[in-house]
Amino acid sequence: MKKKKLKLPKCAPYSKAHERYLRKRRNDKIFVLSFQIIILIAFIGLWELLAQTKVIDPFFVSSPSRIFNTLSSLIANGTIWKHIGITLLETICGFAIATIGGTLIAVLLWWSEKLRRIFEPYLVVLNSLPKIALGPIIILWVGSGMSAIIVMCVLICIVMTTITMLNAFVSCDPDKIQLMKSMRANKFQIFWKLILPSAMDEFISVLKINVGLAWVGTIMGEYLSSSAGLGYLIVYGSQVFKIDLVMTSTVVLCVLAALMYIGVSLLEKWHKR
Amino acid sequence: MDKLLDFQNVNFFYQTKNEEVHALQNLNFSVDELEFASIVGPSGCGKTTILSLIAGLLPVSSGKIYLAGEEVKKNSPHIGYMFQRDHLFEWRTIWKNITLGLELQKLQDKEQKLEFARELLKKYDLYDFQNRKPRELSGGMRQRVALIRTLVLEPKLLLLDEPFSALDFQTRLNVCDDVYQIIKSEKKTAILVTHDISEALSMSDKLVILSSRPATVKHIEILKLDGETPLQKREDKTFGALFDFVWKKLTNEKEKT
């Protein structure tokens, strides 16, 4: 069989050693990726095998084939799209409001040092508070349903966003601020042209963390009060002992969270270009 | 030659939780147009504070500073500031870094200044790098970009706050030569703050030696070393004696503290 020629980048002059090095890098990458896939297939295969041979009880732990069948029927009758749509909408709304709102609060606190000093202890306390404890109060204040779920999602993400972005803003090199001042920049110009761009790496990190937290907030909110959504399916499934439904919803959640994370990673790649 | 900068009995105090610190005491010195002056002194004596006062970034506690005949009261458009590190903004291209000052100010002759920026880039061999990011440039090139960013605003006085201290020794000597020649060919007045006596002697026409805190002017030396560049000036036969003289002055101050 003809050996496939290694595709090399355009820029450098090569030696045999360099070519060997590049080939080793590529092989290492393939090795890691192969093992990742093998582990996943082995896990699914073993799970299915143990369930089929009744070593584990599929009534309690389900099995890949049962999950596949449940998902197929949910797709066939169209109900899955409604639940995905609602959960996705709640998550994206909570994610966007918390990210934008938290960043705006951080800007305000950066702008006024006095305000920052006043609110710093409150932020620390709010950050350590388990937000699920506020669930009943949120339902009382904004009613049950989608609004309560979005508020829960926002509460979980916003404090962390504010703290991280504020830290990024205040840790900007003071000499760079001095440089801007020596060029007669006003405070808005200092923020817009220096503070904000230099905090972009932290902003991307916040997006990545918020992707995870937003899903936690939404599912927690749906556990507390909902009549639709993937969280609702999980709660409903566990109440009526439909573990297949619980597992199917969890798998769909995994896929959606991964897709959202990939979206943020693409944004990061674009930013670092 | 006309005086460009004049310090008249300048005092500066700053407050801390425990005390009021007298940082600068009755400073009197001047810098003429096109002169290259250096300020040396013990660590922490207030050299950088002097630059901040000249730039109008800090207010004097008493006394007066005159720049081009006008009293310095707020940050002046006649000042260009270069720091210890180049502080290029990594997310901006070289061109965007160089024209940062022009973006910040509402200028009527902006087009002319942009053209001047292009000329400077060509003159100092950076034109081909204008669309690159700072991380793609060497340490020396980055310092040249930082200097051009300052020159684009056509300041009357350049303030150099240990601009070579972050570079390795060999690069430092070369960049020192580069910067000196750019400043001379652009006909600029400059004040350099440094810990490096050799650097101060090889670049300057005037050397101001400060005492320890509260800093006073201990000695002013007018330098006339032979040579066109700092590297050549280091070859002058009086260079060693001058170095010893400044070294002793600074050592005495250090012993006092």
Side-chain angles (χ1 to χ4, degrees):
Chain A
M1 200 175 122
K2 198 180 171 187
K3 200 175 174 185
K4 199 178 173 190
K5 203 180 171 192
L6 179 64
K7 201 176 172 189
L8 296 168
K10 295 171 195 168
C11 50
Y14 306 105
S15 61
K16 285 280 171 203
H18 189 207
E19 200 170 326
R20 272 198 303 278
Y21 163 77
L22 289 175
R23 181 162 283 126
K24 187 181 175 305
R25 263 175 69 110
R26 193 191 62 165
N27 290 343
D28 284 352
K29 210 173 162 181
I30 291 169
F31 179 81
V32 170
L33 187 67
S34 311
F35 255 81
Q36 286 169 341
I37 294 167
I38 288 167
I39 286 170
L40 184 68
I41 292 170
F43 173 72
I44 293 170
L46 192 67
W47 185 6
E48 183 64 32
L49 183 74
L50 294 174
Q52 291 290 344
T53 54
K54 304 287 182 200
V55 176
I56 54 171
D57 189 348
F59 180 77
F60 289 110
V61 289
S62 190
S63 70
S65 60
R66 290 170 76 132
I67 291 172
F68 181 77
N69 292 337
T70 310
L71 186 63
S72 303
S73 65
L74 284 173
I75 291 170
N77 63 29
T79 49
I80 191 75
W81 305 119
K82 178 188 146 199
H83 293 291
I84 287 177
I86 287 171
T87 302
L88 210 54
L89 182 69
E90 289 161 349
T91 308
I92 290 171
C93 282
F95 173 81
I97 295 169
T99 308
I100 296 168
T103 307
L104 287 178
I105 295 169
V107 173
L108 200 70
L109 296 181
W110 172 81
W111 201 276
S112 161
E113 202 202 328
K114 279 211 175 70
L115 216 58
R116 180 163 76 238
R117 283 168 56 198
I118 291 167
F119 282 101
E120 221 151 36
Y122 293 103
L123 277 178
V124 174
V125 172
L126 277 175
N127 193 38
S128 41
L129 179 79
K131 278 55 165 200
I132 187 81
L134 300 172
I137 306 170
I138 294 168
I139 294 170
L140 211 65
W141 285 351
V142 297
S144 59
M146 193 181 273
S147 47
I149 295 162
I150 293 174
V151 170
M152 175 61 81
C153 182
V154 169
L155 274 179
I156 284 188
C157 302
I158 200 164
V159 184
M160 194 279 306
T161 306
T162 304
I163 291 175
T164 311
M165 289 314 293
L166 183 61
N167 278 340
F169 292 160
V170 295
S171 62
C172 183
D173 190 337
D175 273 357
K176 282 186 178 163
I177 297 174
Q178 194 85 333
L179 171 79
M180 293 287 281
K181 282 183 182 169
S182 78
M183 291 182 187
R184 297 194 294 153
N186 58 36
K187 198 159 186 175
F188 176 76
Q189 287 174 321
I190 291 174
F191 177 76
W192 191 247
K193 293 192 184 285
L194 170 64
I195 305 288
L196 191 63
S198 57
M200 276 317 282
D201 284 346
E202 281 84 356
F203 185 69
I204 299 280
S205 301
V206 162
L207 289 182
K208 279 182 171 174
I209 296 166
N210 277 357
V211 166
L213 288 182
W215 285 105
V216 172
T218 306
I219 298 303
M220 257 165 52
E222 285 185 351
Y223 283 178
L224 283 173
S225 111
S226 66
S227 53
L230 293 169
Y232 165 78
L233 283 185
I234 292 171
V235 173
Y236 170 75
S238 62
Q239 281 169 350
V240 297
F241 289 100
K242 283 189 175 175
I243 302 302
D244 297 341
L245 187 62
V246 175
M247 290 295 194
T248 308
S249 306
T250 310
V251 169
V252 173
L253 262 179
C254 274
V255 173
L256 291 176
L259 287 177
M260 210 158 146
Y261 189 85
I262 289 169
V264 175
S265 297
L266 289 176
L267 189 72
E268 185 183 21
K269 261 189 186 165
W270 173 80
H271 163 65
K272 285 189 172 165
R273 235 179 356 153
Chain B
M1 207 65 87
D2 291 337
K3 271 184 192 172
L4 182 70
L5 179 78
D6 197 10
F7 265 60
Q8 293 184 357
N9 290 316
V10 170
N11 282 277
F12 182 72
F13 295 86
Y14 64 86
Q15 321 299 327
T16 67
K17 194 180 165 189
N18 300 322
E19 58 175 338
E20 182 179 67
V21 181
H22 194 179
L24 307 174
Q25 188 177 26
N26 295 328
L27 284 191
N28 286 292
F29 70 90
S30 63
V31 178
D32 293 339
E33 271 183 31
L34 305 185
E35 199 169 42
F36 197 121
S38 287
I39 300 174
V40 292
S43 286
C45 74
K47 298 184 289 288
T48 300
T49 306
I50 292 174
L51 297 189
S52 295
L53 292 175
I54 298 169
L57 299 171
L58 289 172
V60 293
S61 302
S62 70
K64 286 185 165 66
I65 301 171
Y66 289 97
L67 177 65
E70 286 173 29
E71 193 180 341
V72 175
K73 284 187 174 158
K74 52 180 183 174
N75 53 347
S76 164
H78 304 308
I79 297 292
Y81 212 132
M82 243 183 112
F83 291 84
Q84 285 186 7
R85 283 177 291 139
D86 54 64
H87 292 307
L88 298 181
F89 294 178
E90 296 297 334
W91 56 91
R92 288 177 156 243
T93 61
I94 298 305
W95 174 252
K96 281 278 192 185
N97 265 288
I98 281 171
T99 54
L100 174 68
L102 301 178
E103 280 177 35
L104 298 174
Q105 295 171 19
K106 284 178 186 156
L107 299 165
Q108 288 177 338
D109 56 346
K110 200 168 179 174
E111 272 310 310
Q112 256 174 295
K113 290 229 156 86
L114 287 172
E115 192 47 45
F116 179 54
R118 271 183 218 107
E119 277 172 32
L120 286 173
L121 278 176
K122 280 180 196 160
K123 198 166 166 185
Y124 300 112
D125 301 327
L126 289 163
Y127 192 75
D128 293 338
F129 298 90
Q130 60 176 313
N131 294 322
R132 302 274 186 96
K133 291 280 174 70
R135 62 174 174 270
E136 297 173 71
L137 268 57
S138 68
M141 287 164 99
R142 289 175 68 111
Q143 279 296 358
R144 264 189 284 158
V145 173
L147 181 59
I148 291 173
R149 175 181 62 192
T150 312
L151 291 173
V152 163
L153 293 167
E154 298 187 83
K156 286 183 177 162
L157 178 63
L158 284 171
L159 304 176
L160 313 173
D161 188 0
E162 298 188 58
F164 318 116
S165 60
L167 303 170
D168 65 84
F169 186 68
Q170 200 178 358
T171 313
R172 190 173 176 147
L173 290 178
N174 290 328
V175 175
C176 191
D177 251 28
D178 274 0
V179 167
Y180 178 84
Q181 287 183 41
I182 293 171
I183 288 171
K184 287 293 172 190
S185 77
E186 297 303 320
K187 296 190 169 50
K188 295 291 171 196
T189 310
I191 299 179
L192 169 75
V193 155
T194 181
H195 280 106
D196 187 330
I197 301 171
S198 308
E199 196 172 273
L201 290 172
S202 64
M203 290 184 88
S204 318
D205 306 309
K206 180 188 274 178
L207 183 67
V208 179
I209 304 172
L210 296 180
S211 69
S212 51
R213 194 192 290 164
T216 54
V217 175
K218 198 172 177 194
H219 181 80
I220 295 178
E221 185 76 24
I222 305 297
L223 301 163
K224 284 180 177 141
L225 298 173
D226 278 341
E228 290 293 311
T229 66
L231 273 177
Q232 288 171 6
K233 285 185 179 186
R234 283 171 191 253
E235 303 293 320
D236 188 283
K237 56 181 183 290
T238 60
F239 190 86
L242 274 167
F243 185 96
D244 287 344
F245 172 75
V246 179
W247 176 259
K248 274 177 192 153
K249 291 258 178 207
L250 290 177
T251 310
N252 287 344
E253 282 307 312
K254 207 173 175 185
E255 277 165 9
K256 269 190 212 169
T257 51

